[in-house]
Amino acid sequence: LADWKLMPSLMGVLVVLALIQLVLAAVLSSPWAAIAAVFVWGVAAFATVPGLQMRMMQQAPDAPALVSTLNIAAFNLGNAGGAWLGGWMLTHGASLRALPVAGAMLLNHLALLTYNIVFEQSDKRRVRAVFSKLVSPNVVNELLQLEKIKLGGARTRITVFFADVRGFTKLTDVNQAKTEQYVRDHNLTGAAAEAYIDKNAAETLRTVNLYLAAIADQIKKHDGTLDKYIGDCVMAFWGAPTPNEKHAVACVRAAIDAQIAMHQINQQRAKENERIRTQNLARAAAGQELLDELPLLDLGTGINTGTSIVGMMGSESHTFSYTTFGREVNLASRLEGVSGHSRIIIGENTFRDLERYDMQLGALCVEQPPVKVKGIASEVRIWEVPWKSFLPPGTPELSTAKPGKPAAH
């Protein structure tokens, strides 16, 4: 039992069922007694089981006794119905004493099958609906194989990842100013002005979504849980809902691949900018309006490992999500804030896990001067992960002086 406070309720159920067993002894001699027994059995089950379930959900949300109670209810109702069927058959001339037992087994099987379809399959559909967009298909399949999934809230050791697309805020401000200037210069009003503003807003959103999608792909590739998007920031974590003792390694590997993905996107856009600049030379000579170059954005990443509260938060009738919170989560966010541009900063707990589970990766990390972050009294030791060491051979560096690249976030 998950909670001794549930003992009186469980004992009450057992006492009622024991008394009903005495009534069932009359099944073989009278169908009316069998009908009465089934009625009393049903009333007892439906009067006690729902209340017991409510107490379990309040006092022990993850108690396996909840599922056991539902199974016992189905089992007992099946036995009651089977006993009545067997008694009815004997009363109407059947002479085989095994018929009550056969009837009980048959209806018990049907009751448990119904329970499986109604309750267990419903739970699996709910798990798939909640997690299909948060984690990789592999993690969803692992979840469905578990006997018990802790979604009600539990303290779990996890690794938390925050990644912010640097330059997006400045890009938004620059684009808004250019859009307003274009509207004034071309005397656009009414629907024409709104259409041009919407067009540029959609282009800005496509740009940030391009980068955010690349980050999310790497999170799922390394079996992380995509928690949420916070503006141009991505939050994810490893170690829940499926256990993984090497969650710190998986998280750091995902962060490295996310930086590489950002770098590759910027390479493609830099090549496109070369083509645009060539076109602009011809357009300028012809007195035509110049084309805008594509902005190149980069990523600042903060990672921390520790024990946090993980579970479903919110209301099923409104917004309901699987998330995590606590001191270690806040520290990961603060480390993202000090990571700057194109850097991965990890906390001490994450570094120690790398030393334990991936010594080669841990040996590459470079300790940085301790930092003072908001909400933490003492200075925090940090390490930088040199993700550029993992770039494919021959990958060129990007010039920081390229036109169109925002200088700061």
Side-chain angles (χ1 to χ4, degrees):
L1 294 177
D3 194 324
W4 284 102
K5 295 178 182 179
L6 302 176
M7 182 62 75
S9 297
L10 287 175
M11 290 302 297
V13 172
L14 294 177
V15 169
V16 170
L17 296 182
L19 292 176
I20 295 173
Q21 288 287 354
L22 299 176
V23 179
L24 283 176
V27 166
L28 298 179
S29 60
S30 170
W32 295 108
I35 294 173
V38 172
F39 176 78
V40 174
W41 192 299
V43 170
F46 286 107
T48 56
V49 170
L52 180 60
Q53 292 173 3
M54 289 301 296
R55 292 190 61 187
M56 285 182 175
M57 286 187 285
Q58 292 170 358
Q59 299 175 4
D62 298 312
L66 177 61
V67 175
S68 299
T69 302
L70 291 172
N71 270 304
I72 291 171
F75 177 82
N76 287 328
L77 289 174
N79 278 340
W84 177 83
L85 176 63
W88 182 87
M89 294 175 69
L90 278 176
T91 304
H92 287 74
S95 58
L96 295 177
R97 294 282 174 174
L99 283 177
V101 177
M105 292 176 64
L106 174 63
L107 289 200
N108 175 63
H109 174 74
L110 293 177
L112 289 176
L113 182 62
T114 302
Y115 165 81
N116 178 270
I117 294 173
V118 173
F119 292 99
E120 292 184 359
Q121 296 302 320
S122 175
D123 287 344
K124 289 184 177 182
R125 285 193 296 271
R126 179 170 176 261
V127 167
R128 192 178 296 276
V130 170
F131 289 99
S132 60
K133 294 185 179 180
L134 302 182
V135 298
S136 69
N138 291 338
V139 175
V140 173
N141 291 333
E142 287 182 33
L143 278 172
L144 296 177
Q145 299 302 318
L146 295 177
E147 287 187 17
K148 184 181 67 170
I149 306 172
K150 291 186 176 181
L151 302 182
R155 287 173 52 80
T156 306
R157 183 174 170 80
I158 60 174
T159 298
V160 186
F161 165 104
F162 280 88
D164 185 80
V165 179
R166 306 297 196 211
F168 180 68
T169 302
K170 184 175 180 65
L171 170 66
T172 302
D173 293 341
V174 169
N175 282 353
Q176 182 176 346
K178 289 172 63 176
T179 300
E180 292 173 353
Q181 185 64 45
Y182 183 92
V183 169
R184 286 194 299 268
D185 291 346
H186 292 77
N187 296 318
L188 299 181
T189 59
E194 289 295 328
Y196 184 80
I197 293 172
D198 289 345
K199 173 179 174 293
N200 281 273
E203 181 58 37
T204 300
L205 187 59
R206 277 194 295 272
T207 298
V208 73
N209 282 342
L210 174 67
Y211 289 97
L212 292 178
I215 301 167
D217 288 344
Q218 302 311 314
I219 291 170
K220 289 191 175 184
K221 171 186 172 184
H222 291 273
D223 293 335
T225 299
L226 181 60
D227 190 318
K228 62 175 70 72
Y229 296 105
I230 311 169
D232 54 357
C233 180
V234 181
M235 176 184 173
F237 55 90
W238 279 254
T242 54
N244 173 16
E245 66 176 5
K246 299 181 180 180
H247 47 78
V249 175
C251 178
V252 172
R253 291 286 181 183
I256 292 171
D257 285 350
Q259 289 284 1
I260 293 174
M262 295 279 289
H263 186 83
Q264 292 171 339
I265 291 174
N266 283 337
Q267 283 183 311
Q268 297 168 1
R269 291 167 76 85
K271 290 181 180 179
E272 180 64 17
N273 283 342
E274 292 177 2
R275 186 184 66 81
I276 292 174
R277 283 192 289 273
T278 302
Q279 285 185 337
N280 279 342
L281 292 175
R283 294 175 72 90
Q288 297 176 338
E289 189 175 330
L290 301 183
L291 301 175
D292 290 331
E293 294 186 28
L294 302 176
L296 309 184
L297 307 179
D298 51 27
L299 193 65
T301 306
I303 295 173
N304 187 49
T305 300
T307 301
S308 300
I309 299 174
V310 183
M312 302 300 294
M313 180 181 293
S315 167
E316 289 195 18
S317 58
H318 299 288
T319 301
F320 206 49
S321 62
Y322 186 73
T323 187
T324 181
F325 58 93
R327 178 190 181 278
E328 307 303 334
V329 177
N330 295 337
L331 180 53
S333 177
R334 302 295 183 230
L335 296 183
E336 176 268 305
V338 303
S339 64
H341 290 255
S342 297
R343 299 175 71 203
I344 301 172
I345 297 298
I346 64 175
E348 183 172 5
N349 288 343
T350 304
F351 175 70
R352 299 305 175 197
D353 272 19
L354 294 186
E355 284 189 316
R356 179 179 181 185
Y357 295 112
D358 192 332
M359 290 186 291
Q360 184 176 3
L361 179 57
L364 292 175
C365 297
V366 180
E367 186 169 8
Q368 304 295 305
V371 294
K372 187 74 171 65
V373 298
K374 182 179 178 181
I376 306 295
S378 58
E379 288 188 328
V380 177
R381 295 182 69 185
I382 60 173
W383 281 256
E384 181 174 0
V385 180
W387 64 270
K388 291 182 181 179
S389 303
F390 297 87
L391 283 170
T395 302
E397 288 284 341
L398 289 170
S399 171
T400 57
K402 292 286 187 183
K405 180 175 180 179
H409 179 70

